[in-house]
Amino acid sequence: MKVRVWATATASTVVVLLLPSCGAPEPGAPPRDGKKDGGPPDTSKVVIEGDASAPVNKIAIEAIADLERYWGTQFPDLYGKDYEPISGGFYAVTEDSPAPPCTTAPEEVAGNAFYCSTKDVVAWDAQMLLPELQEKYGDFVIPVVMAHEWGHAVQTRSNFTARTVTKELQADCFAGAWARHAQDDGVFDVNAADLDSALAGVLDLRDTPGTSKIDPSAHGSGFDRVGAFQDGYDNGLSRCKDYRDDEPMVLALPFSDIQDAVREGNAPYDSIVNGVPYDIEDYFTQVYPELANGRSWPPLRGIEPFDPGNPPVCGGASTEGYVLFYCVPDDYVAWDNVVGMPRIYRQGGDYAVAALLATQWGLAALTRLGDESDEKTSTLRGDCLAGGYTASVILYNRPQTSTFHISPGDLDEAIKALLVFRGEGDVERQGAGWARVKAFREGVINGAQACLDYEG
């Protein structure tokens, strides 16, 4: 972010403890495409080039067996012709492997997984990439990576043509549709936390911030890739089939100037916590009358960064142990300015902090509007309003009162914050990271008005 969370709107103290954790998505049932293919897949016919006993490769083999089964059933319904199984082989590559087809050395696969259409093969780095992803994001991220590569195989079989970034997003969409099948039909034992973790893994595979959408190597920002995956998960293969250039919209944001690029889009922590709260106040001062039939925004009574050794009191109750909260009875937003939020800044980036702060103003707005929804719904609406604030910064539509601009990577930082920085019990009280990311995206794309009746 260039300088130029969450809780519910109830009558009691509203607080959230921010600790690294995994959320639990519980999206509503989407339209399903085609037939059900349930149960563990038959792996007996899957032969890979590489160590089939390696833990990551065993998971990959299970995914391959089901992906071939799944597309063998779904492809004819989607495209009106039979699916051709992948014929060139599957390559689990290490530094000691021979060079797989489409490469000249195993080093070319390092840190990557790919489908090569000229040889009809799938290859992956079984030494570094998949083990590292598994360690950070759990087992299910491996099948998700494989499902993305099968998306490219499907594109070859369907003669899909588009920009590189569109192909990548469609492959993410296909992966999301397959993930829904794998979860619903019991192919893999996938709980809500597993899906949140896999989604966080998708964020790690984003483009370098600042990459243009027309770059021939562009894969999409984390914001775009996560959105495409959720699109497939929620809306099925038919939606993915309809992807075209700029549909869905690609938010490839450039750096605003050389200094922003040199800083990689990150402003100092102090400039964020000392400036963003007042920018969010400015935003709600201007947007609230549109949401409240012309009524003016009542400024918060307080903005209180605190030392966790001496936390503030909310409604007469202690807030010890909390990192970020909106206090309903006393109408203030507070955050741990010594340990908690600085750690989020270090791990998540400047806009992770900004977005989480904005969710609390979203809850304050809902309180002022008399929102009486349950805790999970009001949390989602607060996240959505944080997305509305973010849209305002992207559009730079308050030039007379705000000098803030979005930097490349900021949207990804916001999504990661909603997925990763969760406290014990947050999922049960507030809902899954998956659902919160969807709500934030709704606000970014459709603005604050869309948040008032948002149900998830």
Side-chain angles (χ1 to χ4, degrees), residues 95-125:
E95 62 184 358
D96 298 323
S97 301
C102 302
T103 71
T104 59
E107 291 79 12
E108 295 175 28
V109 187
N112 196 16
F114 65 80
Y115 166 74
C116 175
S117 61
T118 58
K119 300 295 184 180
D120 199 32
V121 303
V122 174
W124 61 92
D125 175 0

PDB file of all heavy atoms in Angstrom, residues 95-125:
ATOM      1  N   GLU A  95      16.319 -34.108  -8.463  1.00  0.00           N
ATOM      2  CA  GLU A  95      17.575 -33.724  -9.116  1.00  0.00           C
ATOM      3  C   GLU A  95      18.285 -34.914  -9.751  1.00  0.00           C
ATOM      4  O   GLU A  95      19.130 -34.743 -10.639  1.00  0.00           O
ATOM      5  CB  GLU A  95      18.490 -33.038  -8.105  1.00  0.00           C
ATOM      6  CG  GLU A  95      18.902 -33.922  -6.937  1.00  0.00           C
ATOM      7  CD  GLU A  95      19.734 -33.172  -5.919  1.00  0.00           C
ATOM      8  OE1 GLU A  95      20.027 -31.988  -6.143  1.00  0.00           O
ATOM      9  OE2 GLU A  95      20.078 -33.784  -4.871  1.00  0.00           O
ATOM     10  N   ASP A  96      17.941 -36.121  -9.305  1.00  0.00           N
ATOM     11  CA  ASP A  96      18.578 -37.322  -9.845  1.00  0.00           C
ATOM     12  C   ASP A  96      17.782 -37.962 -10.977  1.00  0.00           C
ATOM     13  O   ASP A  96      18.200 -38.982 -11.527  1.00  0.00           O
ATOM     14  CB  ASP A  96      18.777 -38.353  -8.733  1.00  0.00           C
ATOM     15  CG  ASP A  96      19.700 -37.853  -7.628  1.00  0.00           C
ATOM     16  OD1 ASP A  96      20.668 -37.143  -7.955  1.00  0.00           O
ATOM     17  OD2 ASP A  96      19.431 -38.160  -6.448  1.00  0.00           O
ATOM     18  N   SER A  97      16.645 -37.376 -11.318  1.00  0.00           N
ATOM     19  CA  SER A  97      15.802 -37.942 -12.366  1.00  0.00           C
ATOM     20  C   SER A  97      16.372 -37.641 -13.743  1.00  0.00           C
ATOM     21  O   SER A  97      17.068 -36.631 -13.935  1.00  0.00           O
ATOM     22  CB  SER A  97      14.390 -37.345 -12.293  1.00  0.00           C
ATOM     23  OG  SER A  97      13.784 -37.583 -11.052  1.00  0.00           O
ATOM     24  N   PRO A  98      16.065 -38.492 -14.727  1.00  0.00           N
ATOM     25  CA  PRO A  98      16.345 -38.087 -16.106  1.00  0.00           C
ATOM     26  C   PRO A  98      15.431 -36.931 -16.489  1.00  0.00           C
ATOM     27  O   PRO A  98      14.376 -36.724 -15.875  1.00  0.00           O
ATOM     28  CB  PRO A  98      16.024 -39.357 -16.910  1.00  0.00           C
ATOM     29  CG  PRO A  98      15.082 -40.130 -16.049  1.00  0.00           C
ATOM     30  CD  PRO A  98      15.465 -39.835 -14.625  1.00  0.00           C
ATOM     31  N   ALA A  99      15.810 -36.182 -17.477  1.00  0.00           N
ATOM     32  CA  ALA A  99      14.988 -35.051 -17.916  1.00  0.00           C
ATOM     33  C   ALA A  99      13.662 -35.578 -18.462  1.00  0.00           C
ATOM     34  O   ALA A  99      13.639 -36.443 -19.339  1.00  0.00           O
ATOM     35  CB  ALA A  99      15.706 -34.255 -18.983  1.00  0.00           C
ATOM     36  N   PRO A 100      12.545 -35.079 -17.951  1.00  0.00           N
ATOM     37  CA  PRO A 100      11.256 -35.518 -18.481  1.00  0.00           C
ATOM     38  C   PRO A 100      10.998 -34.907 -19.850  1.00  0.00           C
ATOM     39  O   PRO A 100      11.692 -33.960 -20.255  1.00  0.00           O
ATOM     40  CB  PRO A 100      10.257 -34.991 -17.447  1.00  0.00           C
ATOM     41  CG  PRO A 100      10.921 -33.794 -16.862  1.00  0.00           C
ATOM     42  CD  PRO A 100      12.388 -34.108 -16.854  1.00  0.00           C
ATOM     43  N   PRO A 101      10.038 -35.435 -20.586  1.00  0.00           N
ATOM     44  CA  PRO A 101       9.701 -34.836 -21.883  1.00  0.00           C
ATOM     45  C   PRO A 101       9.419 -33.342 -21.737  1.00  0.00           C
ATOM     46  O   PRO A 101       8.945 -32.876 -20.698  1.00  0.00           O
ATOM     47  CB  PRO A 101       8.450 -35.600 -22.301  1.00  0.00           C
ATOM     48  CG  PRO A 101       8.568 -36.923 -21.604  1.00  0.00           C
ATOM     49  CD  PRO A 101       9.208 -36.625 -20.289  1.00  0.00           C
ATOM     50  N   CYS A 102       9.723 -32.601 -22.779  1.00  0.00           N
ATOM     51  CA  CYS A 102       9.531 -31.140 -22.846  1.00  0.00           C
ATOM     52  C   CYS A 102      10.612 -30.369 -22.096  1.00  0.00           C
ATOM     53  O   CYS A 102      10.534 -29.148 -21.983  1.00  0.00           O
ATOM     54  CB  CYS A 102       8.164 -30.700 -22.350  1.00  0.00           C
ATOM     55  SG  CYS A 102       6.786 -31.451 -23.240  1.00  0.00           S
ATOM     56  N   THR A 103      11.605 -31.066 -21.547  1.00  0.00           N
ATOM     57  CA  THR A 103      12.711 -30.388 -20.873  1.00  0.00           C
ATOM     58  C   THR A 103      14.029 -30.992 -21.361  1.00  0.00           C
ATOM     59  O   THR A 103      14.051 -32.051 -21.990  1.00  0.00           O
ATOM     60  CB  THR A 103      12.628 -30.541 -19.343  1.00  0.00           C
ATOM     61  OG1 THR A 103      12.942 -31.896 -18.980  1.00  0.00           O
ATOM     62  CG2 THR A 103      11.259 -30.177 -18.822  1.00  0.00           C
ATOM     63  N   THR A 104      15.111 -30.319 -21.005  1.00  0.00           N
ATOM     64  CA  THR A 104      16.440 -30.841 -21.328  1.00  0.00           C
ATOM     65  C   THR A 104      17.206 -31.252 -20.088  1.00  0.00           C
ATOM     66  O   THR A 104      18.266 -31.882 -20.190  1.00  0.00           O
ATOM     67  CB  THR A 104      17.267 -29.786 -22.096  1.00  0.00           C
ATOM     68  OG1 THR A 104      17.389 -28.603 -21.290  1.00  0.00           O
ATOM     69  CG2 THR A 104      16.591 -29.441 -23.413  1.00  0.00           C
ATOM     70  N   ALA A 105      16.693 -30.895 -18.901  1.00  0.00           N
ATOM     71  CA  ALA A 105      17.359 -31.240 -17.646  1.00  0.00           C
ATOM     72  C   ALA A 105      16.324 -31.219 -16.528  1.00  0.00           C
ATOM     73  O   ALA A 105      15.351 -30.445 -16.579  1.00  0.00           O
ATOM     74  CB  ALA A 105      18.482 -30.250 -17.343  1.00  0.00           C
ATOM     75  N   PRO A 106      16.516 -32.036 -15.485  1.00  0.00           N
ATOM     76  CA  PRO A 106      15.545 -32.051 -14.384  1.00  0.00           C
ATOM     77  C   PRO A 106      15.467 -30.716 -13.655  1.00  0.00           C
ATOM     78  O   PRO A 106      14.424 -30.384 -13.072  1.00  0.00           O
ATOM     79  CB  PRO A 106      16.058 -33.164 -13.468  1.00  0.00           C
ATOM     80  CG  PRO A 106      17.498 -33.336 -13.815  1.00  0.00           C
ATOM     81  CD  PRO A 106      17.588 -33.035 -15.270  1.00  0.00           C
ATOM     82  N   GLU A 107      16.537 -29.919 -13.719  1.00  0.00           N
ATOM     83  CA  GLU A 107      16.525 -28.617 -13.041  1.00  0.00           C
ATOM     84  C   GLU A 107      15.421 -27.703 -13.579  1.00  0.00           C
ATOM     85  O   GLU A 107      14.956 -26.792 -12.882  1.00  0.00           O
ATOM     86  CB  GLU A 107      17.877 -27.927 -13.198  1.00  0.00           C
ATOM     87  CG  GLU A 107      19.022 -28.584 -12.437  1.00  0.00           C
ATOM     88  CD  GLU A 107      19.574 -29.815 -13.144  1.00  0.00           C
ATOM     89  OE1 GLU A 107      19.219 -30.031 -14.344  1.00  0.00           O
ATOM     90  OE2 GLU A 107      20.350 -30.566 -12.519  1.00  0.00           O
ATOM     91  N   GLU A 108      14.986 -27.942 -14.806  1.00  0.00           N
ATOM     92  CA  GLU A 108      13.948 -27.099 -15.396  1.00  0.00           C
ATOM     93  C   GLU A 108      12.592 -27.300 -14.727  1.00  0.00           C
ATOM     94  O   GLU A 108      11.681 -26.476 -14.883  1.00  0.00           O
ATOM     95  CB  GLU A 108      13.842 -27.380 -16.892  1.00  0.00           C
ATOM     96  CG  GLU A 108      15.081 -26.986 -17.673  1.00  0.00           C
ATOM     97  CD  GLU A 108      14.996 -27.386 -19.138  1.00  0.00           C
ATOM     98  OE1 GLU A 108      13.871 -27.462 -19.666  1.00  0.00           O
ATOM     99  OE2 GLU A 108      16.048 -27.629 -19.751  1.00  0.00           O
ATOM    100  N   VAL A 109      12.442 -28.377 -13.980  1.00  0.00           N
ATOM    101  CA  VAL A 109      11.183 -28.662 -13.284  1.00  0.00           C
ATOM    102  C   VAL A 109      11.213 -28.123 -11.854  1.00  0.00           C
ATOM    103  O   VAL A 109      10.178 -28.010 -11.203  1.00  0.00           O
ATOM    104  CB  VAL A 109      10.895 -30.178 -13.287  1.00  0.00           C
ATOM    105  CG1 VAL A 109       9.509 -30.480 -12.721  1.00  0.00           C
ATOM    106  CG2 VAL A 109      11.008 -30.744 -14.695  1.00  0.00           C
ATOM    107  N   ALA A 110      12.394 -27.775 -11.349  1.00  0.00           N
ATOM    108  CA  ALA A 110      12.534 -27.338  -9.966  1.00  0.00           C
ATOM    109  C   ALA A 110      11.584 -26.181  -9.657  1.00  0.00           C
ATOM    110  O   ALA A 110      11.525 -25.202 -10.400  1.00  0.00           O
ATOM    111  CB  ALA A 110      13.976 -26.926  -9.682  1.00  0.00           C
ATOM    112  N   GLY A 111      10.834 -26.316  -8.570  1.00  0.00           N
ATOM    113  CA  GLY A 111       9.904 -25.281  -8.155  1.00  0.00           C
ATOM    114  C   GLY A 111       8.671 -25.164  -9.005  1.00  0.00           C
ATOM    115  O   GLY A 111       7.968 -24.153  -8.950  1.00  0.00           O
ATOM    116  N   ASN A 112       8.354 -26.210  -9.775  1.00  0.00           N
ATOM    117  CA  ASN A 112       7.268 -26.081 -10.746  1.00  0.00           C
ATOM    118  C   ASN A 112       6.507 -27.394 -10.882  1.00  0.00           C
ATOM    119  O   ASN A 112       6.961 -28.467 -10.503  1.00  0.00           O
ATOM    120  CB  ASN A 112       7.854 -25.675 -12.102  1.00  0.00           C
ATOM    121  CG  ASN A 112       6.815 -25.145 -13.054  1.00  0.00           C
ATOM    122  OD1 ASN A 112       5.712 -24.794 -12.644  1.00  0.00           O
ATOM    123  ND2 ASN A 112       7.148 -25.098 -14.329  1.00  0.00           N
ATOM    124  N   ALA A 113       5.330 -27.271 -11.429  1.00  0.00           N
ATOM    125  CA  ALA A 113       4.544 -28.408 -11.917  1.00  0.00           C
ATOM    126  C   ALA A 113       3.960 -27.953 -13.239  1.00  0.00           C
ATOM    127  O   ALA A 113       3.601 -26.783 -13.387  1.00  0.00           O
ATOM    128  CB  ALA A 113       3.442 -28.785 -10.941  1.00  0.00           C
ATOM    129  N   PHE A 114       3.873 -28.851 -14.221  1.00  0.00           N
ATOM    130  CA  PHE A 114       3.375 -28.394 -15.511  1.00  0.00           C
ATOM    131  C   PHE A 114       2.719 -29.528 -16.286  1.00  0.00           C
ATOM    132  O   PHE A 114       2.985 -30.709 -16.057  1.00  0.00           O
ATOM    133  CB  PHE A 114       4.497 -27.778 -16.348  1.00  0.00           C
ATOM    134  CG  PHE A 114       5.594 -28.733 -16.771  1.00  0.00           C
ATOM    135  CD1 PHE A 114       5.432 -29.590 -17.866  1.00  0.00           C
ATOM    136  CD2 PHE A 114       6.798 -28.760 -16.092  1.00  0.00           C
ATOM    137  CE1 PHE A 114       6.444 -30.455 -18.258  1.00  0.00           C
ATOM    138  CE2 PHE A 114       7.819 -29.623 -16.482  1.00  0.00           C
ATOM    139  CZ  PHE A 114       7.633 -30.475 -17.564  1.00  0.00           C
ATOM    140  N   TYR A 115       1.853 -29.111 -17.204  1.00  0.00           N
ATOM    141  CA  TYR A 115       1.330 -29.992 -18.244  1.00  0.00           C
ATOM    142  C   TYR A 115       1.943 -29.523 -19.555  1.00  0.00           C
ATOM    143  O   TYR A 115       1.919 -28.322 -19.867  1.00  0.00           O
ATOM    144  CB  TYR A 115      -0.192 -29.914 -18.335  1.00  0.00           C
ATOM    145  CG  TYR A 115      -0.729 -30.538 -19.606  1.00  0.00           C
ATOM    146  CD1 TYR A 115      -0.753 -31.919 -19.771  1.00  0.00           C
ATOM    147  CD2 TYR A 115      -1.168 -29.744 -20.668  1.00  0.00           C
ATOM    148  CE1 TYR A 115      -1.215 -32.500 -20.946  1.00  0.00           C
ATOM    149  CE2 TYR A 115      -1.635 -30.310 -21.841  1.00  0.00           C
ATOM    150  CZ  TYR A 115      -1.649 -31.691 -21.975  1.00  0.00           C
ATOM    151  OH  TYR A 115      -2.105 -32.258 -23.145  1.00  0.00           O
ATOM    152  N   CYS A 116       2.502 -30.445 -20.322  1.00  0.00           N
ATOM    153  CA  CYS A 116       3.091 -30.123 -21.622  1.00  0.00           C
ATOM    154  C   CYS A 116       2.208 -30.723 -22.710  1.00  0.00           C
ATOM    155  O   CYS A 116       2.081 -31.958 -22.805  1.00  0.00           O
ATOM    156  CB  CYS A 116       4.510 -30.669 -21.715  1.00  0.00           C
ATOM    157  SG  CYS A 116       5.255 -30.437 -23.346  1.00  0.00           S
ATOM    158  N   SER A 117       1.621 -29.848 -23.528  1.00  0.00           N
ATOM    159  CA  SER A 117       0.650 -30.319 -24.521  1.00  0.00           C
ATOM    160  C   SER A 117       1.310 -31.052 -25.682  1.00  0.00           C
ATOM    161  O   SER A 117       0.710 -31.962 -26.262  1.00  0.00           O
ATOM    162  CB  SER A 117      -0.158 -29.135 -25.057  1.00  0.00           C
ATOM    163  OG  SER A 117       0.685 -28.185 -25.684  1.00  0.00           O
ATOM    164  N   THR A 118       2.548 -30.684 -26.014  1.00  0.00           N
ATOM    165  CA  THR A 118       3.174 -31.310 -27.184  1.00  0.00           C
ATOM    166  C   THR A 118       3.486 -32.780 -26.947  1.00  0.00           C
ATOM    167  O   THR A 118       3.498 -33.586 -27.886  1.00  0.00           O
ATOM    168  CB  THR A 118       4.464 -30.570 -27.581  1.00  0.00           C
ATOM    169  OG1 THR A 118       5.364 -30.577 -26.472  1.00  0.00           O
ATOM    170  CG2 THR A 118       4.145 -29.137 -27.979  1.00  0.00           C
ATOM    171  N   LYS A 119       3.728 -33.142 -25.689  1.00  0.00           N
ATOM    172  CA  LYS A 119       4.015 -34.540 -25.353  1.00  0.00           C
ATOM    173  C   LYS A 119       2.910 -35.168 -24.511  1.00  0.00           C
ATOM    174  O   LYS A 119       2.969 -36.352 -24.190  1.00  0.00           O
ATOM    175  CB  LYS A 119       5.343 -34.638 -24.597  1.00  0.00           C
ATOM    176  CG  LYS A 119       6.551 -34.111 -25.380  1.00  0.00           C
ATOM    177  CD  LYS A 119       6.829 -34.966 -26.609  1.00  0.00           C
ATOM    178  CE  LYS A 119       8.097 -34.482 -27.317  1.00  0.00           C
ATOM    179  NZ  LYS A 119       8.399 -35.291 -28.522  1.00  0.00           N
ATOM    180  N   ASP A 120       1.909 -34.365 -24.139  1.00  0.00           N
ATOM    181  CA  ASP A 120       0.782 -34.833 -23.325  1.00  0.00           C
ATOM    182  C   ASP A 120       1.275 -35.494 -22.039  1.00  0.00           C
ATOM    183  O   ASP A 120       0.922 -36.638 -21.722  1.00  0.00           O
ATOM    184  CB  ASP A 120      -0.096 -35.802 -24.118  1.00  0.00           C
ATOM    185  CG  ASP A 120      -1.498 -35.943 -23.512  1.00  0.00           C
ATOM    186  OD1 ASP A 120      -1.998 -34.950 -22.938  1.00  0.00           O
ATOM    187  OD2 ASP A 120      -2.089 -37.039 -23.613  1.00  0.00           O
ATOM    188  N   VAL A 121       2.082 -34.744 -21.286  1.00  0.00           N
ATOM    189  CA  VAL A 121       2.640 -35.253 -20.033  1.00  0.00           C
ATOM    190  C   VAL A 121       2.359 -34.266 -18.902  1.00  0.00           C
ATOM    191  O   VAL A 121       2.149 -33.066 -19.128  1.00  0.00           O
ATOM    192  CB  VAL A 121       4.163 -35.489 -20.130  1.00  0.00           C
ATOM    193  CG1 VAL A 121       4.495 -36.442 -21.268  1.00  0.00           C
ATOM    194  CG2 VAL A 121       4.915 -34.172 -20.293  1.00  0.00           C
ATOM    195  N   VAL A 122       2.379 -34.796 -17.682  1.00  0.00           N
ATOM    196  CA  VAL A 122       2.331 -33.983 -16.473  1.00  0.00           C
ATOM    197  C   VAL A 122       3.582 -34.287 -15.671  1.00  0.00           C
ATOM    198  O   VAL A 122       3.943 -35.456 -15.472  1.00  0.00           O
ATOM    199  CB  VAL A 122       1.083 -34.280 -15.628  1.00  0.00           C
ATOM    200  CG1 VAL A 122       1.135 -33.512 -14.305  1.00  0.00           C
ATOM    201  CG2 VAL A 122      -0.177 -33.917 -16.397  1.00  0.00           C
ATOM    202  N   ALA A 123       4.272 -33.239 -15.227  1.00  0.00           N
ATOM    203  CA  ALA A 123       5.488 -33.406 -14.433  1.00  0.00           C
ATOM    204  C   ALA A 123       5.433 -32.458 -13.246  1.00  0.00           C
ATOM    205  O   ALA A 123       4.795 -31.405 -13.295  1.00  0.00           O
ATOM    206  CB  ALA A 123       6.725 -33.124 -15.286  1.00  0.00           C
ATOM    207  N   TRP A 124       6.116 -32.856 -12.179  1.00  0.00           N
ATOM    208  CA  TRP A 124       6.131 -32.008 -10.986  1.00  0.00           C
ATOM    209  C   TRP A 124       7.425 -32.203 -10.227  1.00  0.00           C
ATOM    210  O   TRP A 124       8.083 -33.241 -10.315  1.00  0.00           O
ATOM    211  CB  TRP A 124       4.934 -32.309 -10.087  1.00  0.00           C
ATOM    212  CG  TRP A 124       4.873 -33.723  -9.572  1.00  0.00           C
ATOM    213  CD1 TRP A 124       5.392 -34.213  -8.404  1.00  0.00           C
ATOM    214  CD2 TRP A 124       4.242 -34.833 -10.223  1.00  0.00           C
ATOM    215  NE1 TRP A 124       5.130 -35.550  -8.274  1.00  0.00           N
ATOM    216  CE2 TRP A 124       4.405 -35.960  -9.381  1.00  0.00           C
ATOM    217  CE3 TRP A 124       3.538 -34.991 -11.419  1.00  0.00           C
ATOM    218  CZ2 TRP A 124       3.912 -37.226  -9.701  1.00  0.00           C
ATOM    219  CZ3 TRP A 124       3.038 -36.241 -11.752  1.00  0.00           C
ATOM    220  CH2 TRP A 124       3.228 -37.348 -10.897  1.00  0.00           C
ATOM    221  N   ASP A 125       7.797 -31.153  -9.500  1.00  0.00           N
ATOM    222  CA  ASP A 125       8.975 -31.176  -8.640  1.00  0.00           C
ATOM    223  C   ASP A 125       8.598 -31.923  -7.362  1.00  0.00           C
ATOM    224  O   ASP A 125       7.911 -31.386  -6.497  1.00  0.00           O
ATOM    225  CB  ASP A 125       9.408 -29.744  -8.332  1.00  0.00           C
ATOM    226  CG  ASP A 125      10.559 -29.654  -7.343  1.00  0.00           C
ATOM    227  OD1 ASP A 125      11.040 -30.704  -6.884  1.00  0.00           O
ATOM    228  OD2 ASP A 125      10.962 -28.520  -7.020  1.00  0.00           O
TER     229      ASP A 125
END
